Amino acid sequence: MEDLGKLIQTRIDKIKTIREMGINPFPYNYTVTDFSRDIIDNFDEYSRNNVEPKTVSVAGRIMAVRLMGKAAFCSIHDKKGNIQLYVAQKNIGDSLYEMFKHLDIGDIIGVGGIVKKTQVGEITVYADSLTLLTKNIRPLPIVKEKDGEVFDAFSDKELRYRNRHLDLLVTHGVKETFEKRIKIIKTVKRILDGKDFLEVETPVLLPIYGGANAAPFTTHHNSLDMMLYLRISLEPYLKRLIVGGIDRVYEIGKCFRNEGMDRTHNPEFTMLELYQAYADYNDMMTLTEELFETSCIEIHGTTEIEFDGHKIDLKRPWRRLKMVDAIKEYAQIDVESLSDDEMKVLIKKKGGEIKGAFIRGLAINEIFELYVEEKMIQPVFITHQPLETTPLCKVDYEDERYLQRFELFINGHEYANAYSESNDPVFQRKTLYEQSLRRDVDAEVSPMDENFVQAIETGMPPTGGLGIGIDRMVMLLTGERSIRDVLLFPTMKPDK
RNA sequence: GGGAAAGUAGCUCAGUAGGUAGAGCACCGCCCUUUUAAGGCGAUGGUCGCCGGUUCGAAUCCGGCCUCUCUCACCA
């Protein structure tokens, strides 16, 4: 008899009862002048300077009720935390107290009263007025806590992700993680804005995609009757803006990749990409260090963090290491002296593969990923990737087999990718065309983007470009191990 | 895509080497004016993820499916 429907019906009946008392269970507004955390934090100082107790007006959601006949303690949750209320019949009157007894955990109330400490010393609002602001009809998960130990935590991850509104209300630390996320993004924006980067918005729906190797999502525009792609990176349009004379430009936005999902991959994710004219990949390294170090200090007050059991220090400057030297140091392999066949053996031994024809540069990159990547715990810029790894980057003038590129690795994972951007239009057209020919063996290679090449042909100044996966940066700085815990609404299959 | 674990009351979880289920909290009733995992007394509440099979009988055994978690693979 008492399934969820009955629980809900009971509360719907209460709405009727409350209305019959002449009370609107869904009024229009309430004047809130005080918040839980402030009341508690300011209590001692206020008490020192005043004889009369402070009068406050608070509003929040009822999270616990301890009813004792003619009086009750209850805890309400507002945007700054929790505070205890003391609701006594003799203080708020018989009729209001009768209404109060019909309230449930999950209801939202406004309370006016004075702030005092209880016998056991808890700072409490002694209610002299109480207003029902919203009646809840769907029961909340009940999470209890004593001495910092949590009981009956709302721990089913599926339910948490599908019902983030509940998760935010009852799971300790969830709201804080998302507040940190926004703080990190604001810090990044503040740094870039301070360096005169212009923040822009570029299209998400595109007739052609590029800037990375990834399978795109497709959609259809009805009135144009054409296929459109969701962007897989921000690069092609930001570079057009560099050509257009916006010398420092960035975007923080969603990109979409139609690939597998796991602890570090969600189909939609947030990228930072920035481009700076007249700069190169060395400038991008300096900037990357500043973005990470400053964000870390903003969150932790220090450059030292712990992640996955590793102590990591983000204090700049960070080590810079050429890819082939990293392979030498961490895998004792001198890739440049190996024959093609020897490289194939090394890749096969670790279960790797090369798509299509064997290309030496891609094999070196593969060997790095298989043998070295996971060992890069402290922040390190791995530089000079083989030129075949991307057609959008300039080769190094000292050794044209390698690129002026870096990837930032921390804790064995890639966090940033940057180039001295390719701006030789003849080279660009050739490499993009040649790469597009590989589409028959590698479905993730982008098609040729003629308009983009024409933009480069117009003349793009020497430019440094940088991309950072914001979700992973947030994971690193919040200690979360799953990307789903730093996304408010991670992608889920439909609930059956 | 592979492997492992899981899905039982609104929430958190027990359980039974096959005989249609239990606890705590929540909810409902009663008592209680300083509680804080409040307490006391009482009551209600479940197609035990879905579909099929075996069986006199399935929540339990078998098969398939769905969802989620972890993990491996894939992934600039």
Side-chain angles (χ1 to χ4, degrees), chain A residues 268-283:
Chain A
E268 59 177 291
F269 61 101
T270 302
M271 285 271 288
L272 159 68
E273 285 193 37
L274 67 86
Y275 294 86
Q276 180 180 346
Y278 315 115
D280 67 10
Y281 78 137
N282 287 303
D283 301 301

Side-chain angles (χ1 to χ4, degrees), chain A residues 205-364:
Chain A
L205 286 173
L206 309 171
I208 194 164
Y209 61 94
N213 285 354
F217 284 93
T218 59
T219 187
H220 182 259
H221 189 288
N222 288 345
S223 52
L224 294 179
D225 189 23
M226 68 181 289
M227 170 102 86
L228 288 170
Y229 301 95
L230 275 65
R231 65 186 177 190
I232 58 172
S233 85
L234 309 173
E235 176 161 356
Y237 286 85
L238 293 178
K239 279 189 175 170
R240 285 169 167 92
L241 296 176
I242 290 287
V243 172
I246 302 177
D247 283 351
R248 296 184 176 202
V249 67
Y250 77 98
E251 180 170 7
I252 293 175
K254 286 278 178 75
C255 294
F256 307 83
R257 296 188 184 177
N258 205 339
E259 293 170 344
M261 295 165 61
D262 63 23
R263 218 176 64 230
T264 56
H265 295 81
N266 196 67
E268 59 177 291
F269 61 101
T270 302
M271 285 271 288
L272 159 68
E273 285 193 37
L274 67 86
Y275 294 86
Q276 180 180 346
Y278 315 115
D280 67 10
Y281 78 137
N282 287 303
D283 301 301
M284 295 301 104
M285 283 190 237
T286 311
L287 187 50
T288 302
E289 287 171 336
E290 182 177 354
L291 292 174
F292 274 81
E293 190 198 69
T294 307
S295 297
C296 185
I297 291 169
E298 193 74 28
I299 298 296
H300 295 282
T302 165
T303 59
E304 290 172 22
I305 55 172
E306 196 164 317
F307 194 83
D308 267 355
H310 292 120
K311 284 199 193 316
I312 293 165
D313 192 348
L314 295 174
K315 188 171 175 57
R316 53 186 161 159
W318 302 336
R319 193 172 181 207
R320 301 170 186 203
L321 193 57
K322 291 181 179 176
M323 180 174 271
V324 294
D325 292 338
I327 295 171
K328 258 182 216 147
E329 180 174 332
Y330 287 89
Q332 290 77 50
I333 297 168
D334 182 6
V335 278
E336 288 179 310
S337 70
L338 294 179
S339 71
D340 289 0
D341 284 341
E342 286 169 327
M343 292 172 79
K344 285 180 193 169
V345 169
L346 281 173
I347 289 166
K348 207 158 189 182
K349 206 167 107 186
K350 279 270 189 178
E353 64 162 330
I354 297 279
K355 288 171 182 165
F358 180 86
I359 295 170
R360 246 187 112 75
L362 294 183
I364 292 172

Side-chain angles (χ1 to χ4, degrees), chain A residues 395-445:
Chain A
V395 297
D396 190 36
Y397 42 78
E398 288 179 352
D399 185 344
E400 297 198 344
R401 294 172 301 167
Y402 299 107
L403 298 165
Q404 281 212 350
R405 173 184 180 185
F406 74 77
E407 294 169 289
L408 165 63
F409 288 94
I410 306 171
N411 194 43
H413 291 101
E414 184 190 339
Y415 284 86
N417 186 20
Y419 309 152
S420 295
E421 300 292 340
S422 168
N423 67 341
D424 174 341
V426 179
F427 170 83
Q428 189 71 95
R429 178 175 287 283
K430 178 167 170 286
T431 51
L432 281 177
Y433 175 71
E434 283 172 356
Q435 184 188 256
S436 72
L437 294 181
R438 295 190 73 233
R439 298 194 78 205
D440 54 341
V441 293
D442 186 349
E444 289 176 352
V445 171

Side-chain angles (χ1 to χ4, degrees), chain A residues 64-82:
Chain A
V65 180
R66 297 176 286 280
L67 180 73
M68 303 156 297
K70 294 187 172 60
F73 287 96
C74 64
S75 303
I76 62 165
H77 177 90
D78 68 11
K79 69 171 183 179
K80 293 196 176 178
N82 292 297

Side-chain angles (χ1 to χ4, degrees), chain A residues 157-170:
Chain A
K157 287 197 172 181
E158 179 176 2
L159 290 178
R160 289 180 49 210
Y161 297 146
R162 287 191 195 283
N163 302 285
R164 189 66 95 182
H165 54 286
L166 295 177
D167 195 31
L168 285 163
L169 284 173
V170 305

Side-chain angles (χ1 to χ4, degrees), chain A residues 178-217:
Chain A
F178 291 104
E179 287 170 345
K180 285 177 191 167
R181 179 184 173 111
I182 292 305
K183 204 169 183 182
I184 291 163
I185 291 171
K186 280 185 176 171
T187 302
V188 167
K189 288 186 176 185
R190 194 181 69 231
I191 292 167
L192 296 178
D193 294 344
K195 295 180 189 297
D196 283 332
F197 279 84
L198 184 71
E199 183 180 8
V200 297
E201 292 174 282
T202 64
V204 173
L205 286 173
L206 309 171
I208 194 164
Y209 61 94
N213 285 354
F217 284 93

